[in-house]
Amino acid sequence: MTYMLVLAVVLLIVGAVLILLKRESANANHAASDSPDQTQSPENFEVSSLLEATLAGMREGLLVVDKDMRVVASNPAAHKLFNPSVPALQSQRLTELTRNPAIYSAFLDGLKGIERSGVKVETHGPERQIFDLRVVPIGNVNGNGAKGALGVFFDITRTERLEHVRQEFLSNVSHELRTPLTAIIAFVETLETGAMEDPESSQRFLSIIRKNASRMHGLIDDILELTAIEGGNVQLRAAPVPLHSLVQDVCASLAAKAAASNVTLKNNVAAEVTVQADARRLEQMLTNLVDNGIKFSRENGTVVISHESGTRDHILVHDNGDGIPAQHLERLFERFYRVDRARSRDMGGTGLGLAIVKHLALLHGGEVTVTSELGKGSTFTIHLPKA
Ligand code: ADP
């Protein structure tokens, strides 16, 4: 649909370029005959200013070459794409602008009267960009080929990046689902082939099946949650939240898990503190962080939740666990990123918890950060804007 629209604009521009080329040659003829009348009619002025505005306003790079492969027209987007240090692209040879063989051969085909589309062009400057190039011949194609060729560079960097992220996400999801599913199938088969007769093993196998099924369930829940947040389908209801009692609720819901690992939970938030947040979502974020604190804590460890006030509200979740090696900190909030994949899986982790926390914090207009020291523990901080 977009392509059709852009193609329509391109055809309009081709028409306009042809009008300009015609006018230029008419002007040249006038000049040759020393005609005193060099002024433009009001209609012509309208066409050229319209054309100029269209070219300047287009996000697509536009380049027109004559049959000697010299640039005869271009717009600012093309200029930015090729060589921003050169004052103008006009009258440069295409080979001086780029060594990219894909671009050159597409324009060469254009000059031969062959339309080319879907030519993928990548730039390798400081900012990697990907373009979809379409080249059309200009003018009637006769035995000598076309009069010129017009190329439109559609910027598809964002689309390509999104596609890459989507594919990576899908392959991660498939992989994460396949692991518990394989275990479930294997243990069901073992039960079917006789283990069911032995009550002790069948009990053990059933509990492994249950654990893996719960993991799949948790993973699907987290994926749906993350998709809803990222898709903008989660509406926040921010209001003043009494932080002490919210943290109390979080600790209560995780008390059994903490006790099972001999971890002490400490609510160090003063009774009068309120923060501006969506209570349910803040509880979700803190549950994730405290849960991680328990999971990655040492035996007899402590997880402390505290609050600091500055230009923003800072809610800190500190544990005295093993800590996280510095090289992992930058990527920790990415989906499925885990320092120790096997350990995370073993503890029923999905690798999506911190990504959910990150997105919820962003949705609040805030952020989440982490500091950690190996052997001493980690501190995750949610920073929230004040009301
Ligand atoms: P999950 O806990 O399900 O594996 P998360 O997204 O919550 O996924 O966390 C990602 C990874 O970050 C964990 O697998 C773990 O390696 C690391 N991590 C998170 N919290 C802590 C913590 N408090 N201490 C040490 N490592 C942590």
Side-chain angles (χ1 to χ4, degrees):
M1 186 63 194
T2 322
Y3 275 14
M4 293 301 285
L5 202 77
V6 177
L7 186 62
V9 173
V10 169
L11 290 176
L12 196 118
I13 289 165
V14 174
V17 168
L18 288 176
I19 292 170
L20 276 190
L21 288 177
K22 257 190 198 159
R23 209 181 62 206
E24 259 171 29
S25 73
N27 279 347
N29 288 342
H30 273 303
S33 62
D34 272 349
S35 161
D37 184 13
Q38 297 277 325
T39 53
Q40 294 180 332
S41 72
E43 294 94 322
N44 280 346
F45 178 77
E46 280 303 311
V47 170
S48 68
S49 59
L50 193 76
L51 175 63
E52 209 170 292
T54 312
L55 292 180
M58 278 177 75
R59 278 205 282 159
E60 290 76 20
L62 200 116
L63 202 70
V64 181
V65 297
D66 65 11
K67 60 179 183 331
D68 298 322
M69 281 282 196
R70 274 189 194 280
V71 177
V72 289
S74 66
N75 69 347
H79 189 234
K80 203 165 140 236
L81 158 67
F82 280 107
N83 195 351
S85 60
V86 173
L89 301 183
Q90 258 75 336
S91 76
Q92 302 253 355
R93 278 186 180 282
L94 191 62
T95 43
E96 287 165 347
L97 293 181
T98 174
R99 281 161 193 257
N100 190 315
I103 300 181
Y104 191 80
S105 99
F107 274 92
L108 208 58
D109 280 349
L111 290 178
K112 286 180 199 156
I114 305 163
E115 207 175 296
R116 291 280 304 272
S117 60
V119 180
K120 200 164 163 184
V121 174
E122 287 187 38
T123 64
H124 297 283
E127 189 192 340
R128 183 172 167 263
Q129 283 181 292
I130 307 168
F131 294 89
D132 179 307
L133 169 62
R134 181 181 176 86
V135 179
V136 289
I138 297 178
N140 293 332
V141 182
N142 52 32
N144 300 325
K147 217 178 194 173
L150 177 142
V152 187
F153 295 81
F154 303 94
D155 190 345
I156 53 166
T157 316
R158 203 177 121 75
T159 329
E160 288 277 309
R161 203 178 296 140
L162 286 177
E163 180 59 18
H164 177 74
V165 170
R166 197 182 67 86
Q167 275 177 9
E168 203 177 52
F169 183 62
L170 271 181
S171 99
N172 272 324
V173 169
S174 323
H175 180 76
E176 295 291 333
L177 283 175
R178 195 174 325 127
T179 315
L181 198 57
T182 309
I184 291 172
I185 293 170
F187 282 103
V188 167
E189 277 171 5
T190 317
L191 283 171
E192 279 174 346
T193 50
M196 219 141 63
E197 313 304 324
D198 173 10
E200 204 183 299
S201 346
S202 61
Q203 197 54 46
R204 196 159 56 85
F205 293 161
L206 280 173
S207 99
I208 296 174
I209 291 171
R210 169 185 278 280
K211 190 175 154 202
N212 280 287
S214 310
R215 253 189 69 194
M216 286 177 71
H217 195 244
L219 186 65
I220 290 167
D221 276 353
D222 277 359
I223 291 169
L224 289 177
E225 180 74 11
L226 198 59
T227 312
I229 301 169
E230 285 190 344
N233 295 326
V234 168
Q235 296 292 323
L236 290 191
R237 281 193 207 127
V241 177
L243 190 60
H244 180 88
S245 65
L246 185 131
V247 170
Q248 212 53 32
D249 290 348
V250 172
C251 292
S253 71
L254 291 169
K257 190 168 183 178
S261 316
N262 275 332
V263 173
T264 309
L265 303 182
K266 258 195 199 164
N267 180 357
N268 273 3
V269 178
E272 70 281 1
V273 175
T274 58
V275 294
Q276 181 73 10
D278 180 310
R280 192 169 85 78
R281 295 298 176 177
L282 181 57
E283 187 173 334
Q284 187 182 0
M285 286 192 265
L286 286 173
T287 303
N288 256 310
L289 296 181
V290 176
D291 185 39
N292 277 349
I294 298 169
K295 281 195 300 191
F296 299 102
S297 188
R298 281 182 247 165
E299 187 79 359
N300 299 319
T302 310
V303 179
V304 185
I305 304 101
S306 56
H307 169 263
E308 286 172 12
S309 184
T311 47
R312 294 189 289 179
D313 280 306
H314 310 286
I315 308 167
L316 294 82
V317 178
H318 174 76
D319 67 74
N320 58 356
D322 290 337
I324 303 158
Q327 72 268 24
H328 294 288
L329 292 180
E330 204 183 317
R331 301 192 57 193
L332 210 61
F333 296 95
E334 286 178 19
R335 301 186 279 203
F336 296 115
Y337 192 84
R338 285 174 285 201
V339 176
D340 183 340
R341 193 165 279 263
R343 187 173 168 196
S344 156
R345 280 216 193 104
D346 218 35
M347 288 186 286
T350 61
L352 291 175
L354 288 181
I356 292 176
V357 174
K358 176 182 120 176
H359 283 282
L360 286 176
L362 289 175
L363 218 56
H364 277 85
E367 59 177 331
V368 56
T369 55
V370 57
T371 54
S372 189
E373 219 177 315
L374 266 187
K376 292 208 167 161
S378 315
T379 304
F380 287 82
T381 309
I382 300 172
H383 310 266
L384 294 178
K386 290 193 184 267

